[in-house]
Amino acid sequence: MEQVPSLATAFLMHAKVRFVPPEHGSAFESLLVHAWETARAQWPAVELPAEPFVAYLAERIPETPPQSPLEPLLAQMSLAELFLACACVRGIPSALELFERHYLARLPALLRSPKQPDAMIDDVCQLVRVKILVPTGEGGPKIAEYTGRGALLSWVRVTAVRIAIKLQAVEKPAAHEDTDTLFAALPAPGANAELDLIKRRHHTDFRQAVSEAFSGLSNDERHLFRLYFVDQLSMYELAALFRVNQSTVSRWLKTARQRIYEETQRRLQARLGLSPRDFKSYLAVLDSQLELRISQLLRAEDEAPRAHKPDGPP
C-alpha cells in the first residue's frame, strides 16, 4: 500500500465515520485536492489552505459504512458553502464580509411580511448575526453546525425564523388546532399504469405549467411556501411566527396551493388538448406531484444567487 499523503491523512484523522485507509493514496489525495479547489473557486478572495478545510470537511461527512467510496459523499455536499462556513469559523475577515453580503444582507427580505414589524426584523437580524458568527463561552460560533448538506441560505433562514419565534410571546395552541395532518393529507391517489403513461408523456408540459402558475404567487405566498416546504417548519412554528392560529396558516397554505392547482389545470387543459376522461386521470397525477414541483422551484430560487460570478453582488 502506498504511503497516505498529507490531505488524506488529515481527512482520515478527522472523519467521525471510520474510513478504511485507501490502497491508492494518490487517487484519494487528488479527490480531496479537487474538492478544495472546486470549493475555493467560488470565493477566490478567501485564503483558506487545503488541510484545515479537508479536516473540517471530514468532520461533517455523512455517516456511511466503512469502505464506502468518498466521491458520492462529496457530491451530496455543498462544498463551496462549507468552505465559506469553515473560513468564517476561523474568523477570516474576507469570509465574514462575504457571508454578510451574500447571506445576512438577504435576511430582511426573506423575513418580511405584513405580520412582522420592521423593528422586530431588525432585532432578529442582529441576533442572527451574533448567534451565527460570534463564539460563545460554551464553544465556537453556530455556523460550525452547518454540515454542507442543503443550501446555506436555507440553514440561515431557519435559524432566523426560530429566533423570531422565540421573540414572540405566543400561547401554545390546543392539540385540536394542530392541522399539520390536514394539510399533509390532501388527496394523492395512488399511481397506476395509465397515470404513469400520462405522466411520462406530458412530463415537460406539467413542469412548465406549474412553473408558470407558480410565478403568479405573491411574495408573501412564496415566503410561506418556502418556510413550509423547503425549511419544513411546522404549523405551530408558522403560527407563532406570523402571530395567528394554526387554522389560519392552514387556510393560507391551502388557498395558495389551490391557486397553483387551478392555474396549472387551466394551462394544461388548454395546452394538451386531452379528452375529458384523460384529463380527469391526469388531474390525479397533478395532485400527487404538485407539492414536489413547488419544492423544486423554491430550492432552485434559493440556489440561483450563487450561480453568478464569484464574489459579485448578491
Side-chain angles (χ1 to χ4, degrees):
M1 179 165 50
E2 302 176 15
Q3 182 179 1
V4 180
S6 60
L7 289 187
T9 300
F11 181 89
L12 294 171
M13 287 178 58
H14 288 85
K16 293 182 178 179
V17 295
R18 184 176 180 82
F19 280 84
V20 175
E23 293 185 5
H24 303 289
S26 59
F28 197 80
E29 181 87 355
S30 296
L31 185 59
L32 293 171
V33 169
H34 179 70
W36 172 65
E37 291 177 342
T38 300
R40 72 169 180 165
Q42 296 292 320
W43 315 103
V46 179
E47 294 293 335
L48 176 64
E51 189 165 329
F53 171 67
V54 165
Y56 191 86
L57 168 66
E59 293 171 349
R60 289 156 180 82
I61 283 287
E63 291 192 14
T64 183
Q67 298 182 325
S68 295
L70 178 60
E71 190 168 5
L73 297 176
L74 295 179
Q76 299 174 24
M77 306 179 74
S78 179
L79 295 177
E81 294 188 311
L82 196 65
F83 180 93
L84 183 65
C86 176
C88 287
V89 170
R90 295 172 69 86
I92 297 175
S94 57
L96 296 170
E97 179 184 344
L98 287 166
F99 184 78
E100 175 76 37
R101 187 196 315 170
H102 290 284
Y103 297 93
L104 294 180
R106 298 180 64 191
L107 270 183
L110 294 174
L111 296 174
R112 186 164 290 115
S113 75
K115 297 288 184 179
Q116 301 295 354
D118 288 344
M120 194 208 75
I121 291 177
D122 290 342
D123 289 343
V124 170
C125 291
Q126 289 299 324
L127 288 171
V128 169
R129 181 176 288 103
V130 172
K131 188 174 183 65
I132 288 181
L133 296 179
V134 178
T136 67
E138 299 176 356
K142 185 176 177 61
I143 196 170
E145 298 176 12
Y146 173 65
T147 63
R149 281 164 271 174
L152 179 56
L153 182 62
S154 180
W155 181 87
V156 171
R157 185 171 58 235
V158 170
T159 300
V161 168
R162 299 199 191 286
I163 288 175
I165 290 171
K166 289 181 180 179
L167 289 180
Q168 298 170 356
V170 179
E171 293 185 5
K172 186 173 181 179
H176 69 273
E177 292 182 351
D178 187 352
T179 51
D180 274 352
T181 305
L182 293 178
F183 189 71
L186 287 171
N192 57 38
E194 178 188 14
L195 297 188
D196 284 343
L197 177 61
I198 294 172
K199 177 182 173 183
R200 288 195 301 270
R201 183 179 298 165
H202 302 296
H203 178 68
T204 301
D205 294 303
F206 166 73
R207 289 172 62 89
Q208 183 63 29
V210 177
S211 297
E212 293 168 357
F214 179 81
S215 67
L217 290 179
S218 68
N219 289 335
D220 287 342
E221 289 170 327
R222 285 171 184 253
H223 180 48
L224 180 65
F225 269 165
R226 180 172 283 105
L227 294 173
Y228 187 80
F229 286 114
V230 178
D231 297 335
Q232 298 183 336
L233 295 185
S234 69
M235 290 283 187
Y236 170 65
E237 290 173 314
L238 289 171
L241 179 65
F242 293 111
R243 302 181 181 182
V244 296
N245 58 43
Q246 294 185 57
S247 61
T248 300
V249 173
S250 178
R251 184 175 69 254
W252 287 346
L253 286 166
K254 289 179 181 178
T255 298
R257 184 190 187 280
Q258 187 65 22
R259 283 181 54 203
I260 295 180
Y261 182 94
E262 291 175 355
E263 181 61 16
T264 302
Q265 175 183 336
R266 185 186 69 78
R267 291 176 180 273
L268 281 173
Q269 194 160 19
R271 182 174 296 164
L272 301 182
L274 294 173
S275 68
R277 177 180 176 276
D278 284 344
F279 190 72
K280 184 177 180 181
S281 296
Y282 192 82
L283 290 183
V285 175
L286 169 60
D287 198 50
S288 64
Q289 296 294 310
L290 184 62
E291 292 170 19
L292 173 61
R293 182 60 183 148
I294 291 172
S295 298
Q296 291 170 341
L297 289 167
L298 290 166
R299 288 191 172 91
E301 285 188 350
D302 278 353
E303 294 169 2
R306 285 304 308 151
H308 55 62
K309 180 180 178 182
D311 294 0

